[in-house]
Amino acid sequence: MSAVRVLRSRRLLRQLPPGLPASLRRHYSLDVPAALLRTQGYFGGRWVSAASVFPVLDPATGQELAQVSDCGPAEAKQAVDAAYEAFQSWKQTTAKERSLLLRKWFDLLNRHKEDLAKLITFESGKPMRESLGEMAYSAAFLEWFSEEARRVYGDIVPSPVKDRRILLLKQPVGVASIITPWNFPSAMITRKVGAALAAGCTVVVKPAEDTPLSALALAELAEQAGIPPGVVNVVPCSREKTPAVGHVLCTDSLVSKISFTGSTATGKVLLKMAADTVKRVSMELGGHAPFIVFDSADVDSAVGGAMASKFRNSGQTCVCSNRFLVQSGIYDRFVDKLGRAMDAELRLGHGSEPNTTQGPLINSRAVEKVRLKLPDPELSTFSRRSSIKILILGRALVAQWLAHTNPSEFDASLLAGYFYSQDVSQIWRVAEALEVGMVGVNEGLLSTPEASFGGVKQSGLGREGSKYGIDEYLEVKYMCFGGLKP
């Protein structure tokens, strides 16, 4: 490594301060049908109020959007009980019945995509264009798993003896606790719940405290689709009550499966709680994604991929690039073009504004993390500069490059990686050598329902999406059919 350069946007990007004038508040008001703006918990097919409420805020303005029921461990237990009771009949439904219900749910998401996207924009801050993209992505998981529901095949295995037949059956694991993050408040739910329902499981969803409205709207549409009471349950709660609710969802004996997306540190806590009852667990945890540009790369394509990968959702996704390594032969061209693209394309503002490309950070804790990482004298609560550290690497062997992308200090965060090259042999060498769960080759956006999603080492367990995603919710039962007469 010969140098490190910090690339900054030439334009000062300003966050929208809280306490905007009333005229702007009216302009940024959340306008969705009342049926989709649910604020109570949902379990056993009923909308249930808790004893207290917590506020959901627009992260761009600080304006309160709604007061949502602040469920605690008692409500979480009710939801688990409702899911367990519903499982007894849901597991008996045919794959075709489950497929048709998921398809109806998919159709309703598409029908209401504009309003659902507004919910995402107002509670998470992401631009409306990205929220519409998330809704397409979210609905696609229901479509995919509605199809996969009818492809859960077992096996007939040749027996070593003549009087026996060996059958391997796939059966649903049971009640699944679904714990999701704020950055994809709709898609992270459907990616998990779609697979669980397709397999014949029932679910209890604990959405992030910053973004419960999307989860509750999904529950409303699940009910409209005809999904039976207790099959889908949602337990919203505040940050203060999250530990107690999470403890119920991870330790209750009626829960058979936990699926979590979030930080590695929280994932380890949940794993310890799940251990006492030896629950099935799948986890999609954090990522420190390398973005490598080799001398043979198409620079314009690499810049486009970098913009998409780095700045989507204001850099607040688990697969965003955060380590750039550029080979010396094209370093200057890449840095210059990336800087120009940042200046030309990045527009910070409220997500409902059509020209906005960068929404706010999700909350004050996220802002403080940025302040600690970027000791910039011009950085304040209401203004910041975008910056990217770009490492210059010489014409080294691939093994030396990988020493910078697979270092031991990032063992906890090996989810995705990206690189740009036109050298086919190099592509195969690097793709196979990168210690990540997903590799984008000449591509900065790689997520799709058809492909598996997940990391390696401490960045996760199991896979979501693809034909493998449904296996996380299935047990394989061996049936030996003996005593057959030849």
Side-chain angles (χ1 to χ4, degrees):
M1 177 169 54
S2 56
V4 177
R5 184 184 299 184
V6 177
L7 180 64
R8 301 187 186 279
S9 175
R10 299 180 182 88
R11 185 193 328 104
L12 187 64
L13 301 177
R14 298 191 175 274
Q15 276 191 311
L16 294 174
L20 292 175
S23 59
L24 287 180
R25 289 182 185 174
R26 286 196 297 271
H27 178 65
Y28 295 130
S29 63
L30 175 59
D31 181 21
V32 297
L36 293 180
L37 190 58
R38 289 289 191 172
T39 58
Q40 299 168 290
Y42 181 73
F43 28 93
R46 297 181 298 113
W47 295 98
V48 181
S49 296
S52 59
V53 295
F54 67 99
V56 179
L57 307 179
D58 180 341
T61 66
Q63 184 176 347
E64 184 177 294
L65 301 174
Q67 293 273 340
V68 174
S69 289
D70 194 3
C71 296
E75 288 84 6
K77 176 58 177 172
Q78 290 179 49
V80 169
D81 290 345
Y84 185 77
E85 181 180 353
F87 176 64
Q88 308 313 312
S89 55
W90 181 249
K91 67 181 179 181
Q92 301 296 336
T93 58
T94 66
K96 183 175 182 179
E97 289 172 326
R98 298 194 296 273
S99 174
L100 292 174
L101 287 172
L102 284 169
R103 182 72 194 197
K104 289 180 181 178
W105 197 11
F106 160 76
D107 290 338
L108 285 169
L109 261 64
N110 277 335
R111 187 181 307 168
H112 296 281
K113 62 183 178 182
E114 294 279 347
D115 290 321
L116 295 170
K118 289 178 185 177
L119 286 175
I120 293 173
T121 287
F122 274 81
E123 66 177 348
S124 77
K126 68 175 59 176
M128 190 65 178
R129 180 171 58 182
E130 287 191 21
S131 296
L132 287 168
E134 178 178 345
M135 281 316 307
Y137 185 51
S138 176
F141 281 111
L142 297 183
E143 179 185 39
W144 173 259
F145 285 114
S146 74
E147 297 163 350
E148 287 298 291
R150 302 185 69 177
R151 293 194 282 263
V152 178
Y153 305 135
D155 292 295
I156 299 177
V157 181
S159 173
V161 293
K162 294 181 179 179
D163 66 344
R164 298 178 190 172
R165 296 294 182 268
I166 297 173
L167 292 86
L168 303 181
L169 312 177
K170 291 186 178 181
Q171 296 180 316
V173 298
V175 175
S177 291
I178 308 295
I179 304 174
T180 58
W182 65 266
N183 57 350
F184 286 89
S186 181
M188 292 303 94
I189 293 174
T190 59
R191 187 163 75 185
K192 300 172 186 291
V193 173
L197 267 59
C201 297
T202 56
V203 300
V204 179
V205 178
K206 206 295 283 183
E209 65 271 13
D210 291 305
T211 56
L213 301 179
S214 292
L216 295 169
L218 290 176
E220 166 64 27
L221 294 180
E223 185 178 81
Q224 291 183 25
I227 293 175
V231 173
V232 174
N233 308 272
V234 180
V235 183
C237 67
S238 63
R239 183 176 179 83
E240 291 72 25
K241 289 188 179 179
T242 289
V245 170
H247 185 269
V248 172
L249 299 184
C250 294
T251 62
D252 193 285
S253 60
L254 299 183
V255 173
S256 299
K257 160 76 181 180
I258 300 168
S259 180
F260 169 73
T261 295
S263 71
T264 299
T266 301
K268 290 179 179 180
V269 172
L270 301 187
L271 276 170
K272 290 176 182 177
M273 287 195 287
D276 284 344
T277 47
V278 196
K279 300 186 190 303
R280 287 278 296 274
V281 176
S282 57
M283 296 197 167
E284 188 257 288
L285 306 177
H288 283 279
F291 191 102
I292 309 170
V293 187
F294 289 101
D295 280 347
S296 66
D298 179 320
V299 175
D300 291 333
S301 178
V303 167
M307 293 293 292
S309 175
K310 177 63 182 176
F311 295 108
R312 184 169 59 129
N313 200 12
S314 296
Q316 301 174 106
T317 84
C318 54
V319 291
C320 276
S321 300
N322 53 11
R323 287 180 286 152
F324 282 76
L325 301 94
V326 183
Q327 204 161 8
S328 57
I330 60 168
Y331 177 85
D332 289 334
R333 278 195 296 149
F334 177 82
V335 169
D336 179 67
K337 289 191 174 187
L338 181 57
R340 292 176 184 275
M342 290 166 63
D343 287 337
E345 298 176 23
L346 299 184
R347 296 286 185 277
L348 184 62
H350 195 283
S352 64
E353 292 285 357
N355 293 328
T356 295
T357 65
Q358 307 300 114
L361 299 179
I362 184 62
N363 53 38
S364 59
R365 297 187 304 278
V367 173
E368 187 58 30
K369 287 181 181 179
V370 172
R371 290 167 64 89
L372 293 174
K373 290 180 181 295
L374 297 176
D376 189 325
E378 296 187 47
L379 186 70
S380 71
T381 304
F382 305 122
S383 66
R384 62 183 174 86
R385 291 182 183 272
S386 292
S387 66
I388 301 176
K389 288 186 177 179
I390 301 181
L391 282 65
I392 311 174
L393 296 182
R395 299 178 181 278
L397 298 172
V398 170
Q400 292 173 287
W401 280 75
L402 294 174
H404 295 286
T405 59
N406 298 329
S408 59
E409 63 264 32
F410 291 119
D411 278 356
S413 314
L414 301 171
L415 186 60
Y418 309 87
F419 70 92
Y420 278 71
S421 170
Q422 297 298 312
D423 183 330
V424 175
S425 296
Q426 183 181 64
I427 286 172
W428 279 110
R429 290 197 306 271
V430 176
E432 293 178 348
L434 280 173
E435 295 178 357
V436 296
M438 299 171 285
V439 181
V441 182
N442 298 324
E443 180 56 60
L445 297 176
L446 46 70
S447 301
T448 181
E450 293 80 4
S452 62
F453 194 103
V456 299
K457 296 187 178 180
Q458 294 185 52
S459 70
L461 299 169
R463 291 296 181 265
E464 295 185 332
S466 79
K467 68 177 183 179
Y468 301 106
I470 199 169
D471 289 339
E472 300 291 334
Y473 299 89
L474 293 167
E475 297 281 14
V476 177
K477 177 184 287 184
Y478 162 40
M479 186 174 77
C480 179
F481 191 171
L484 300 178
K485 295 180 180 180

